[in-house]
Amino acid sequence: MGYESEMDCRTCVDKYHESLALLDVGHSDSSEEAMNALMNAVGGWSPSVIIPRRVVYDVGKKMDGVRQQYDFGSKLPDELIVQILSMLPAKSLLRCRLVCKSWLNLINSTEFKLMHLHNFNQLNPRCFVRRLLVVAEECYDVHLDDEAFTFDDSTQIELPLLLVSTCVLGLSDVAMALFASLMMITLSKACDHPWNPSIRRKLTIPLPMVWYDKMSDDYKVVSLAYDECSSTTRPQVVLYYSFSPILILKYSCNLNHLLLLLSQVKVYTVKTGIWRKVVIFNGSVHWIAWDPTPGVSYHSIGSHYSIMTFDITTELFGEIQLPEFSADGLLMVSYLENLWLSFVLPV
Amino acid sequence: MSKKTLTLMSKDKQLFNIEEHLAVQSVTIRNMVKEDGASSVIPLPRVDSETLALVIEYLNRQQAPEEDEDYVKKFVDERGEIPTLLELAQAALDLDIKKLMDAACMKVADLIKDFTLEEVREALRIENDRTPEEEKAIRDEFQWAF
């Protein structure tokens, strides 16, 4: 792969990258070993490695519906067919759509996509690796999550656009287009490009805001209100919700306002006194918002933070007040090229 | 404590004995035993004797839990013929032996992943219900995968 000489990878060890970890590709208990193996394999540069986490879906329940729904015209029980197909790589599945009509319907169904995502990725855990080259170019690879950290050449990661300002914002663990194993959202000046390398397909969606709604198996485009006159100005936000406990925040240069989408919002429950690391629950997206006050930087103590909520179904915004942060409870903020931030609240 | 033995009967009326504590790895059999004690013969009308012999061999394995995963993999690997694997998967499905079924399905998936369409249809006994025109439209959508 010729990594060695050309790479001078800046280490982007930050929560931002962890927040990208939603590659969902099964889990890895051995993140450290995997990292070491990778380092050995490529000789010394410091990649940011995205270690996948296990995402469990209630597949069984969903698939009951699928089983009843399809007639595969085979002598074999449907359950077997579904099971076998859910273990095939995306490329094989693309071909299998042609086998017969019911297979196409099955493979295109949301239930099957979720099942495939779960089964295939659990059998073939992979890691998404992001590298920054000397020439300030970014590179993306997929490696198998094995001892040798084998390069996975069946999943080609080629940036779908040749845009200077392209940058990968997030990874989703859900098939937006077809079968998901890996989803990226790239951003250019005018458009978002949800992109699924497994099937080499990208979509182009104009800004401002888009997300994928599991219930309707569709994208939702939302824009947050920006009230210039109000004293409690909310930033104009582009919210990338990529269907997993991951939200990324964008800093809007023009408006000089922060817009925070949070990688791992933890939600404080007063009753139990417990912080929960949930971003999407009760059907709402949760993220941290910050009120920009002149002269107060966004990470200083006096800043006002709250958790904003957005109910996906009713499309209503809400706000949850956060408790005061103590001096040692500073938010951790990490920068990425002055544009991308992510936040982790103290435990 | 004496070990209780169950008798399983295949599609072609052959009888197989297996100790009860081993047989109850099958959820189906476990439920039957719970319900009526399963004193008599348990008929398995969809499983032929060759396949049942394999299932019995699998159930009789004496494996430490940590070696079990590897054993199941090896077990299906050694029976790498698709028809055998499908029979085995079907029997495991009927008997509700999840590990065996998953392993058999995984092996089949692995074998067919590079198959052509015709080969897939033949292996999984599917009939083509498409016209060449319909086929072309679907094919063109992701030409690179073919």
Side-chain angles (χ1 to χ4, degrees), chain A residues 7 10 15 39 56 61 65 79 103 108 111 114-115 169-170 186 221 267 296 315:
Chain A
M7 303 296 150
R10 285 171 286 160
K15 292 295 172 189
M39 295 297 282
V56 180
K61 223 180 200 172
E79 195 171 354
W103 279 33
N108 282 342
E111 291 88 351
L114 286 173
M115 183 182 183
L169 283 184
T186 58
V221 178
V267 178
V296 181
E315 303 189 353

Side-chain angles (χ1 to χ4, degrees), chain B residues 129-140:
Chain B
D129 53 1
R130 268 185 212 294
T131 62
E133 292 77 40
E134 288 173 329
E135 210 163 283
K136 186 173 181 307
I138 302 165
R139 188 186 292 261
D140 286 350

Side-chain angles (χ1 to χ4, degrees), chain A residues 72 74 77 79-80 83-84 87-88 92 94-95 97-101 103-104 123 198-201, chain B residues 89-90 93 102 105-106 109 113-115 117 121 124-126 129-130 135 138 141-142 144-146:
Chain A
F72 296 107
S74 167
E79 195 171 354
L80 277 191
Q83 187 75 12
I84 291 167
M87 294 168 168
L88 286 173
S92 308
L94 288 175
R95 286 200 307 271
R97 294 174 313 140
L98 268 170
V99 165
C100 66
K101 287 176 183 169
W103 279 33
L104 178 67
L123 294 172
S198 291
I199 57 167
R200 304 184 196 174
R201 172 179 271 187
Chain B
Q90 200 170 336
L93 175 69
D102 283 354
C105 286
M106 195 165 40
K113 70 171 182 233
D114 296 321
F115 274 18
L117 283 178
R121 286 189 193 116
L124 296 186
R125 305 168 215 169
I126 309 277
D129 53 1
R130 268 185 212 294
E135 210 163 283
I138 302 165
E141 203 184 343
F142 290 97
W144 64 269
F146 291 89

Side-chain angles (χ1 to χ4, degrees), chain B residues 11-140:
Chain B
K11 176 162 77 177
D12 41 355
K13 311 284 182 220
Q14 286 204 39
L15 299 179
F16 292 82
N17 291 326
I18 180 168
E19 287 171 28
E20 185 182 297
H21 74 282
L22 294 171
V24 293
Q25 293 172 83
S26 149
V27 179
T28 312
I29 294 179
R30 190 189 309 158
N31 291 339
M32 288 167 104
V33 169
K34 253 190 222 157
E35 272 168 30
D36 61 2
S39 50
S40 56
V41 174
I42 299 174
L44 301 169
R46 294 215 293 184
V47 185
D48 63 38
S49 55
E50 280 166 38
T51 310
L52 187 53
L54 280 182
V55 175
I56 301 269
E57 183 188 335
Y58 170 78
L59 291 176
N60 277 325
R61 74 199 186 285
Q62 303 290 338
Q63 225 64 40
E66 62 270 19
E67 291 168 8
D68 208 44
E69 291 292 320
D70 294 336
Y71 177 82
V72 185
K73 273 208 183 90
K74 207 167 145 250
F75 184 83
V76 295
D77 271 349
E78 284 167 6
R79 287 143 190 96
E81 302 275 313
I82 291 179
T84 316
L85 287 168
L86 288 174
E87 290 295 331
L88 192 61
Q90 200 170 336
L93 175 69
D94 286 352
L95 288 165
D96 204 344
I97 311 170
K98 194 174 179 331
K99 255 190 205 167
L100 186 58
M101 173 174 143
D102 283 354
C105 286
M106 195 165 40
K107 182 70 189 169
V108 174
D110 197 45
L111 289 170
I112 67 168
K113 70 171 182 233
D114 296 321
F115 274 18
T116 63
L117 283 178
E118 262 322 307
E119 287 168 335
V120 171
R121 286 189 193 116
E122 198 185 319
L124 296 186
R125 305 168 215 169
I126 309 277
E127 276 178 34
N128 185 14
D129 53 1
R130 268 185 212 294
T131 62
E133 292 77 40
E134 288 173 329
E135 210 163 283
K136 186 173 181 307
I138 302 165
R139 188 186 292 261
D140 286 350

Side-chain angles (χ1 to χ4, degrees), chain A residues 5-24:
Chain A
S5 54
E6 60 191 314
M7 303 296 150
D8 169 55
C9 288
R10 285 171 286 160
T11 316
C12 297
V13 184
D14 56 7
K15 292 295 172 189
Y16 174 78
H17 282 107
E18 280 186 23
S19 74
L20 289 180
L22 268 291
L23 190 62
D24 111 277

Side-chain angles (χ1 to χ4, degrees), chain A residues 165 187 189 226 235-238 249-259 336-341:
Chain A
S165 59
L187 174 84
K189 273 184 184 154
Y226 173 59
Q236 184 182 358
V237 174
V238 182
L249 61 106
K250 185 190 175 194
Y251 173 62
S252 158
C253 305
N254 299 341
L255 299 165
N256 224 5
H257 285 135
L258 272 186
L259 138 60
L336 192 77
E337 297 171 352
N338 295 328
L339 272 177
W340 310 100
L341 307 169

